[in-house]
Amino acid sequence: MSTAPDTAAASPAAPEPRSGDRAQQKLPLLALLALATAVFITSLTETLPAGLLPAMSADLRVSESATGQTVTVYAIGTALTAIPLTAATAAWRRKRLLLASMAGFALANTVTALSSVYELTMAARFVAGVAAGLAWALLAGYARRMAPAHLQGKAIAVAMAGIPVALSLGVPAGTFLGDALGWRVAFLSMTGLTVLLLLWISAAVPDFPGQGRGERPKMLRTLRIPGVSPVLFVTLVFVLAHTILYAYIATYLEDLGLGGSTGLILLVFGAASLASIWITGVLIHDRLRGLTVAGALLVAVAAALLAVLSDTTALVYAAAVLWGLGWGGMPTLLQTAAGDAGGASADAAQAMLVTLWNAAMAGGGIVGGILLDTTGSGSFPWAVLLLLLPVIAVVLYARGAGFPTRRNVNATATPTTTATPATTAPKSTATAVPTAAATAAATAAAGSEEDRA
């Protein structure tokens, strides 16, 4: 942007609240649930075509494999534009940017629902991915800024809860709605929910300032910050491994003779994911490293069960539980680790995380398709297991920075004063943004909502 809006005045980082003060501090649940709904809608819409391919392909007059690329192009839209848009909109006020991204998403989604031309549909899906990626880059940092330091992990967990809910409950529900009323109705329902969400955000979500031009960190410089590269590597490889299996879970289960149980197995996976989010929210403040190691190990054990003992139905369900427990809290863990490691450049770290996350999702679909055509669906669990070995190794190795044994909370905490909506403060003092010790979360969230990525 050529001009920057008001930049918050710097103030000393607030100390950790005393135990008595902590008891009086609460999470702004209404605002956080609005962010969680944004995560839910955008995550669900990304994968919604997977359950509606036959009807969509018939209306668009293309093959199902071609229609399936509407999922890939959505992820590509996010991956290609998250970083440049993060930089271009760094000066925007956070609430304005969130509203603009969700409005753009609603418009693109409406075009998708009404289009009968394949090329127009693909273009609309690309734009929807761009808008969703910009919103995703904001959300974790937005949630973090709303909460006092000792509740920031829980705040992110609440906001990120939309991901497993969308994947486990939303996709089956969207598929059912599409089967009953048509795929266009399923997409239009997402637009309707987004319109309601825009009203919710306007009424309940506080505002925060963007960054001044002199405050914006550089992407390449951020990569040299100790701890950032390990977090980004773990994000890329872990999400790639997960997507290889998840994107083709219906095919995999069909080959096991469990095609009729796909919906139930996804529900089991989703319930375990929600439990994982709750556990993560409770323990992340002091156990980020341990939770990350445990999550990777649980998914690895689930993959091993599917690779070796998938002929036993009960063990397939057990694997779904372990997979959900390992996966559910991972978005929160990785977002938090990126913000901690990035420090004053947390917005840039988050932007790269979102880019790599969506690149991994697109790559998982491609790699999974190649494996399916060459070696069959039985190779999926082995691929997951193989990819998780370096993930576990890097997390264990990055004990000094990235996934430290002990988090430096004072270096990443956003003081409670930042939770005050900027719109209620005078222009010269809009939302106090901490300096030095607190910039890890505050500067990131203040500029690109740290989550912009």
Side-chain angles (χ1 to χ4, degrees):
M1 299 295 292
S2 57
T3 59
D6 308 329
T7 302
S11 62
E16 276 285 289
R18 293 170 299 183
S19 58
D21 297 332
R22 289 190 180 194
Q24 299 177 2
Q25 294 175 323
K26 298 180 180 179
L27 289 175
L29 283 179
L30 189 62
L32 290 173
L33 289 175
L35 302 189
T37 303
V39 173
F40 171 81
I41 292 173
T42 51
S43 298
L44 170 56
T45 304
E46 178 171 23
T47 54
L48 187 58
L52 304 171
L53 289 182
M56 287 184 68
S57 63
D59 280 0
L60 296 175
R61 296 183 294 277
V62 295
S63 67
E64 290 188 19
S65 60
T67 306
Q69 299 312 304
T70 56
V71 177
T72 301
V73 76
Y74 189 107
I76 290 174
T78 297
L80 290 181
T81 61
I83 289 178
L85 282 182
T86 291
T89 59
W92 288 34
R93 298 198 71 85
R94 303 299 90 195
K95 187 171 182 176
R96 173 190 173 195
L97 184 58
L98 179 58
L99 288 170
S101 63
M102 294 308 298
F105 172 83
L107 178 60
N109 203 57
T110 301
V111 173
T112 301
L114 300 178
S115 172
S116 296
V117 179
Y118 177 70
E119 292 77 10
L120 178 59
T121 300
M122 291 291 282
R125 289 286 294 174
F126 180 87
V127 173
V130 171
L134 185 55
W136 288 336
L138 292 168
L139 293 174
Y142 218 148
R144 187 171 184 163
R145 293 189 71 188
M146 291 180 192
H150 68 290
L151 294 177
Q152 287 176 351
K154 291 183 179 180
I156 296 175
V158 172
M160 293 299 105
I163 295 176
V165 174
L167 295 179
S168 58
L169 303 179
V171 172
T175 301
F176 174 81
L177 182 62
D179 290 342
L181 300 176
W183 68 271
R184 298 183 189 277
V185 174
F187 276 96
L188 285 173
S189 68
M190 295 298 100
T191 297
L193 288 176
T194 305
V195 171
L196 294 176
L197 176 62
L198 289 171
L199 298 175
W200 187 356
I201 292 171
S202 298
V205 176
D207 192 15
F208 298 98
Q211 286 178 316
R213 281 178 288 182
E215 301 170 342
R216 303 173 198 174
K218 305 298 182 182
M219 298 295 176
L220 293 179
R221 185 181 304 168
T222 302
L223 281 175
R224 295 195 290 268
I225 298 175
V228 171
S229 293
V231 174
L232 295 180
F233 173 85
V234 168
T235 298
L236 176 66
V237 182
F238 191 96
V239 176
L240 176 65
H242 166 80
T243 306
I244 287 173
L245 181 57
Y246 187 86
Y248 295 92
I249 187 63
T251 301
Y252 176 76
L253 293 174
E254 183 70 31
D255 291 345
L256 291 180
L258 296 173
S261 302
T262 299
L264 181 58
I265 291 173
L266 284 177
L267 286 175
V268 170
F269 167 82
S273 296
L274 292 176
S276 176
I277 287 179
W278 181 83
I279 294 169
T280 298
V282 171
L283 300 178
I284 190 173
H285 187 70
D286 299 312
R287 299 286 187 271
L288 186 146
R289 173 182 171 83
L291 288 170
T292 307
V293 173
L297 286 173
L298 284 170
V299 178
V301 172
L305 284 176
L306 293 176
V308 179
L309 300 171
S310 59
D311 55 342
T312 303
T313 300
L315 291 180
V316 173
Y317 279 90
V321 172
L322 296 176
W323 186 11
L325 288 174
W327 167 257
M330 198 58 68
T332 299
L333 293 169
L334 294 175
Q335 292 268 15
T336 303
D340 287 357
S345 297
D347 56 341
Q350 294 285 353
M352 289 186 283
L353 184 145
V354 165
T355 297
L356 291 177
W357 187 289
N358 284 276
M361 290 188 67
I366 294 171
V367 173
I370 294 173
L371 289 175
L372 182 62
D373 290 339
T374 57
T375 59
S377 64
S379 62
F380 293 159
W382 291 106
V384 173
L385 189 58
L386 181 64
L387 287 169
L388 287 178
L389 294 179
V391 167
I392 296 169
V394 169
V395 175
L396 292 174
Y397 176 79
R399 60 187 303 119
F403 301 96
T405 304
R406 185 178 181 84
R407 289 181 65 202
N408 186 357
V409 177
N410 290 332
T412 59
T414 304
T416 56
T417 55
T418 62
T420 303
T423 53
T424 64
K427 208 173 203 181
S428 60
T429 60
T431 308
V433 175
T435 59
T439 28
T443 300
S448 321
E449 228 25 89
E450 154 187 274
D451 259 306
R452 267 188 183 178

